[in-house]
């Protein structure tokens, strides 16, 4: 803020009643304070402009993040569309797989892995437990039955090339869809990061703009004070010129009066000269000065 205690005050009474010397001193004070305030205003204007430049930089930075975010979001949308299309295609393929399995009666019963696990459990029981002859015979029959079921299902699967190819194609399509889903996640994270950076840049721009606005107010304050001092300085200068004119007029009046008195005296001397009186040197010089001789 401007230190108002350093300001120079000028009243109408000062202008009308102060002496010329006092006014000259006041003019110097007003000029010096005006220059000081103008310098202060200039510094504040420079600081304000610097802050405004930083504000623009932050806004530009925010815009760059906005553009990058929007670009990434477009890519996210593209990958989403590709993922959804591939998932739809994979679902269709898996539906066909299920239909083929149903046609081959493979949709009911246990899958190969489950059968293989059950066979291993039965074999482990045969090897580790003490069984009666009947129990062991019954266990062996179960194992053989499981093996036959296993081989039967395995054979049906191996004999159907279309099913294997369809499963492979469906899994490949699903895998490709997963890749697009992964890209969706990665790009969405990047877009969110640019969004966060955009918000932060805008927040910083607002903070700096507030500083710039505050500095502009300080600039205006200093500039207005400088202008006021300049106006008062001009008023004092005008008053000094008026005083100079008054003094000149007084001097001119004094000269005119003195000249008139000298003329009157010379006319008296000239009249004496015409009447035959003798003139001394001083009288003759007075006549010469007035042009009467």
């Amino acid at each position: 803020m401007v230190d108002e205690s350093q300001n120079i005050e000028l009243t109408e009474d000062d202008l009308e009643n102060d002496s010329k010397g006092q006014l000259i001193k006041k003019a110097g004070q007003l000029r010096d304070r005006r220059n000081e305030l103008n310098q202060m205003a200039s510094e504040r204007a420079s600081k304000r402009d610097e802050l405004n430049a930083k504000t623009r930089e932050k806004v530009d930075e925010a815009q760059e993040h906005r553009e990058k975010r929007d670009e990434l979001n477009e890519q996210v949308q593209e990958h989403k569309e590709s993922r959804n299309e591939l998932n739809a295609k994979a679902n269709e393929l898996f539906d066909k797989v299920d239909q083929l399995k149903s046609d081959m009666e493979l949709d009911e019963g246990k899958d190969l892995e489950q059968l293989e696990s059950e066979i291993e459990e039965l074999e482990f029981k045969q090897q580790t437990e003490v069984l009666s002859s009947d129990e062991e015979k019954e266990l062996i029959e179960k194992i053989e039955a499981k093996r036959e079921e296993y081989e039967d299902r395995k054979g049906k699967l191996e004999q159907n090339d279309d099913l294997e190819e369809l499963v492979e194609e469906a899994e490949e399509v699903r895998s490709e869809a997963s890749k697009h889903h992964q890209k969706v996640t990665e790009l969405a994270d990047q877009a969110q990061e640019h969004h966060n950076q955009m918000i932060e840049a805008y927040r910083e721009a607002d903070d700096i703009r507030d500083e710039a606005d505050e500095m502009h107010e300080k600039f205006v304050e200093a500039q207005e004070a400088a202008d006021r001092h300049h106006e008062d300085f001009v008023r004092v200068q005008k008053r000094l010129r008026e005083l100079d004119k008054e003094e000149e007029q007084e001097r001119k009046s004094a000269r005119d009066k003195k000249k008139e008195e000298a003329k009157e005296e010379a006319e008296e001397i000239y009249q004496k000269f015409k009447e035959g009186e003798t003139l001394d040197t001083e009288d003759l010089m007075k006549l010469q000065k007035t042009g009467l001789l």
Side-chain angles (χ1 to χ4, degrees):
M1 306 300 285
V2 172
D3 184 359
E4 295 187 1
S5 67
Q6 299 297 317
N7 291 344
I8 307 302
E9 298 299 327
L10 178 70
T11 65
E12 289 297 326
D13 184 66
D14 294 334
L15 281 176
E16 293 299 324
N17 300 318
D18 280 2
S19 67
K20 185 176 181 181
Q22 289 174 317
L23 288 174
I24 290 173
K25 180 180 179 181
K26 180 78 75 172
Q29 292 173 333
L30 288 167
R31 180 197 62 228
D32 292 344
R33 182 57 175 166
R34 176 202 64 189
N35 294 344
E36 180 182 346
L37 289 166
N38 275 329
Q39 178 64 28
M40 185 186 299
S42 177
E43 292 172 356
R44 291 178 176 183
S46 296
K47 182 62 177 177
R48 175 204 60 196
D49 294 343
E50 179 184 336
L51 289 168
N52 280 331
K54 288 182 178 180
T55 299
R56 287 191 292 272
E57 288 177 3
K58 282 297 176 182
V59 170
D60 290 343
E61 180 183 332
Q63 284 296 106
E64 290 176 3
H65 285 301
R66 178 192 292 274
E67 292 172 3
K68 187 62 178 177
R69 179 204 64 185
D70 293 345
E71 178 185 339
L72 288 166
N73 280 334
E74 288 180 5
Q75 295 179 34
V76 166
Q77 190 59 36
E78 292 172 0
H79 282 287
K80 276 185 177 180
E81 291 174 0
S82 296
R83 178 200 63 189
N84 294 342
E85 289 174 2
L86 289 167
N87 276 330
K89 183 178 179 181
N91 289 337
E92 291 178 3
L93 291 170
F94 279 116
D95 288 342
K96 290 181 180 179
V97 168
D98 292 338
Q99 185 60 47
L100 280 175
K101 285 183 176 181
S102 177
D103 293 343
M104 297 171 58
E105 297 180 351
L106 293 175
D107 56 331
E108 296 178 358
K110 301 172 182 177
D111 59 28
L112 294 180
E113 290 184 359
Q114 186 177 357
L115 286 171
E116 188 174 8
S117 177
E118 290 178 357
I119 291 170
E120 290 177 353
E121 288 179 3
L122 292 172
E123 288 177 341
F124 182 76
K125 182 177 181 180
Q126 181 187 20
Q127 294 171 5
T128 58
E129 293 185 12
V130 178
L131 304 172
S132 65
S133 297
D134 292 338
E135 289 175 337
E136 186 168 1
K137 181 180 178 182
E138 182 181 353
L139 185 58
I140 291 172
E141 289 176 354
K142 285 183 180 180
I143 292 173
E144 290 299 325
K146 292 287 184 183
R147 284 176 176 169
E148 287 177 7
E149 184 182 356
Y150 177 85
E151 292 298 330
D152 180 59
R153 291 182 68 81
K154 182 178 179 183
K156 287 180 179 181
L157 290 172
E158 290 176 347
Q159 289 171 6
N160 195 318
D161 293 336
D162 290 342
L163 180 60
E164 291 181 2
E165 291 176 1
L166 199 58
V167 170
E168 184 178 352
E169 182 182 359
E171 289 176 346
E172 286 178 356
V173 173
R174 185 75 79 194
S175 176
E176 189 65 25
S178 296
K179 291 178 182 178
H180 282 285
H181 179 71
Q182 183 176 357
K183 290 298 294 184
V184 166
T185 302
E186 292 175 359
L187 293 171
D189 288 343
Q190 293 176 26
Q192 184 61 45
E193 180 61 27
H194 281 286
H195 176 77
N196 294 341
Q197 291 177 352
M198 177 196 73
I199 297 300
E200 178 62 19
Y202 275 132
R203 187 194 63 76
E204 292 180 9
D206 288 340
D207 290 343
I208 298 172
R209 186 183 291 107
D210 289 343
E211 290 184 47
D213 291 343
E214 183 180 347
M215 188 56 64
H216 178 68
E217 291 178 2
K218 292 181 178 180
F219 155 75
V220 170
E221 180 188 30
Q223 191 61 62
E224 288 178 348
D227 292 343
R228 186 170 64 254
H229 280 75
H230 177 69
E231 291 169 1
D232 287 345
F233 172 75
V234 171
R235 290 170 65 200
V236 172
Q237 291 294 94
K238 180 181 178 181
R239 177 59 179 159
L240 287 171
R241 287 194 295 272
E242 291 174 354
L243 291 175
D244 286 342
K245 287 181 181 179
E246 290 175 4
E247 290 179 355
E248 179 59 29
Q249 188 62 40
E250 289 175 359
R251 286 194 294 270
K252 184 176 182 301
S253 296
R255 289 195 301 271
D256 290 345
K257 181 179 180 182
K258 187 175 181 181
K259 184 177 180 181
E260 184 63 29
E261 290 175 351
K263 182 178 179 182
E264 291 176 357
E265 184 182 4
E267 287 177 349
E268 292 177 1
I269 295 172
Y270 185 66
Q271 187 61 38
K272 291 179 181 180
F273 175 70
K274 287 171 60 179
E275 292 174 357
E277 291 187 18
T278 302
L279 303 179
D280 58 21
T281 302
E282 185 178 351
D283 291 337
L284 291 173
M285 290 181 66
K286 290 178 179 179
L287 290 175
Q288 286 178 342
K289 285 181 180 180
T290 56
L292 295 177
L293 184 63

